[in-house]
Amino acid sequence: MSISKEVLRRRTFAIISHPDAGKTTLTEKLLLYAGAIHIAGSVKSRKASRYATSDWMEIEKQRGISVASSVMQMEYRDCVINLLDTPGHKDFSEDTYRVLTAVDAALMVIDAANGIEPMALRMMEYAAERHLDRLIVVNKIDSPDLNLPALLAQIQATFGKECLPLNLPDAGGTKVVDCFYNREGHSDFGSVADAHRALVEQVVEVDADFVDRYLNDGDIDASELHAPLEQALREGHLIPVCFVSARTGAGVVELLDLVAKLLPNPTKATRRTS
């Protein structure tokens, strides 16, 4: 049975996090940069024209938090992306857990200043139990007095060494630098070359042929590693870590590119257990 082109274009993921990590603000920026909306709304807006797209209920506008999941769709780079913005508050967490039974990937947003909080930990554990592709997005990288190296170490200690940065913040958190395709470069912390090497070594482990090539020839061009990169993500052998500022938009386009290129379409999604 052939799969239609429309089905192959679909990407479906949920944005999850602890309250106030910036889920809804990030959702607005993703919609804006994909061209689905013309003005990014705010969870704290007092103007009707500036309410966040996903916070359409009156109680959400009054309280400035999401109380129910919202489904939004956008087209980007020939993909149809279905994005589900979920509640972060524990009082409404059942809705989030239900959403995670219906998506192919979970994008966990972590506040760069506050680190990993209990609700985020439980949601990531549930996403892992559902065998979902998981991505970690460190938000608010433009906040003052951050210790991002310590946060990355905390992420790896909590969720495993498979949590590796696909990009790193640069220029004081005003932009990010890719670590998968770039073999070297400048960043605010850490070595791009070391991050690139760690990614390649992690990805090639899922394919014996690439392991042999890497051992014999050294570095493999990242353009050849898309298939094993997808496989590593599907198998939980890699949990990409990306850095963004949803407020300024730093790293958001790079995150959109990652969603379009890397997240599974329905033919590649791992089957979830009930």
Side-chain angles (χ1 to χ4, degrees), residues 205-233:
E205 285 182 358
V206 302
D207 188 309
D209 291 338
F210 278 108
V211 170
D212 289 341
R213 281 187 56 190
Y214 185 75
L215 293 175
N216 293 328
D217 304 331
D219 197 16
I220 299 173
D221 194 286
S223 62
E224 298 184 60
L225 294 176
H226 186 76
L229 180 62
E230 284 189 345
Q231 183 181 345
L233 187 62

Side-chain angles (χ1 to χ4, degrees), residues 68-128:
S69 296
S70 299
V71 183
M72 288 145 287
Q73 190 175 86
M74 52 188 164
E75 294 198 23
Y76 184 77
R77 294 193 182 276
D78 201 36
C79 291
V80 177
I81 299 171
N82 300 308
L83 184 162
L84 289 85
D85 182 20
T86 64
H89 197 282
K90 64 180 181 179
D91 290 349
F92 311 107
S93 61
E94 285 303 314
D95 191 68
T96 301
Y97 293 132
R98 282 193 293 270
V99 165
L100 290 176
T101 68
V103 298
D104 301 319
L107 191 157
M108 169 57 69
V109 181
I110 294 176
D111 186 322
N114 294 334
I116 302 168
E117 300 186 72
M119 195 64 190
L121 182 59
R122 288 194 290 272
M123 288 179 182
M124 277 289 278
E125 289 174 347
Y126 189 75

Side-chain angles (χ1 to χ4, degrees), residues 8-256:
L8 292 173
R9 294 175 63 207
R10 294 177 194 164
R11 308 288 186 272
T12 301
F13 73 99
I15 293 187
I16 58 178
S17 80
H18 189 277
D20 298 322
K23 273 186 305 83
T24 300
T25 303
L26 179 58
T27 296
E28 289 293 305
K29 278 299 201 302
L30 290 169
L31 291 168
L32 177 67
Y33 288 7
I37 59 176
H38 298 296
I39 299 176
S42 168
V43 294
K44 305 296 183 183
S45 178
R46 296 184 179 182
K47 295 182 179 180
S49 61
R50 296 293 180 90
Y51 288 138
T53 308
S54 60
D55 288 349
W56 56 273
M57 298 171 66
E58 193 60 38
I59 189 173
E60 293 176 314
K61 297 172 184 177
Q62 292 173 0
R63 296 182 63 176
I65 61 171
S66 300
V67 303
S69 296
S70 299
V71 183
M72 288 145 287
Q73 190 175 86
M74 52 188 164
E75 294 198 23
Y76 184 77
R77 294 193 182 276
D78 201 36
C79 291
V80 177
I81 299 171
N82 300 308
L83 184 162
L84 289 85
D85 182 20
T86 64
H89 197 282
K90 64 180 181 179
D91 290 349
F92 311 107
S93 61
E94 285 303 314
D95 191 68
T96 301
Y97 293 132
R98 282 193 293 270
V99 165
L100 290 176
T101 68
V103 298
D104 301 319
L107 191 157
M108 169 57 69
V109 181
I110 294 176
D111 186 322
N114 294 334
I116 302 168
E117 300 186 72
M119 195 64 190
L121 182 59
R122 288 194 290 272
M123 288 179 182
M124 277 289 278
E125 289 174 347
Y126 189 75
E129 291 171 2
R130 301 296 303 180
H131 304 292
L132 300 179
D133 291 14
R134 287 163 290 155
L135 292 79
I136 294 174
V137 177
V138 177
N139 188 25
K140 304 183 184 180
I141 60 172
D142 56 326
S143 300
D145 303 321
L146 295 178
N147 189 342
L148 292 176
L151 176 56
L152 181 59
Q154 182 192 25
I155 289 170
Q156 292 172 334
T158 303
F159 301 119
K161 67 178 183 62
E162 59 269 26
C163 298
L164 296 173
L166 277 187
N167 57 46
L168 290 168
D170 191 24
T174 60
K175 64 179 183 177
V176 298
V177 56
D178 171 82
C179 299
F180 185 62
Y181 291 101
N182 291 333
R183 289 188 170 97
E184 57 186 23
H186 180 273
S187 75
D188 287 344
F189 77 92
S191 163
V192 173
D194 289 347
H196 170 82
R197 188 179 306 108
L199 280 167
V200 171
E201 289 178 353
Q202 189 76 1
V203 168
V204 298
E205 285 182 358
V206 302
D207 188 309
D209 291 338
F210 278 108
V211 170
D212 289 341
R213 281 187 56 190
Y214 185 75
L215 293 175
N216 293 328
D217 304 331
D219 197 16
I220 299 173
D221 194 286
S223 62
E224 298 184 60
L225 294 176
H226 186 76
L229 180 62
E230 284 189 345
Q231 183 181 345
L233 187 62
R234 308 290 170 266
E235 296 177 357
H237 192 68
L238 173 67
I239 302 175
V241 180
C242 300
F243 293 85
V244 305
S245 168
R247 185 183 69 85
T248 67
V252 175
V253 170
E254 289 82 356
L255 181 59
L256 263 176

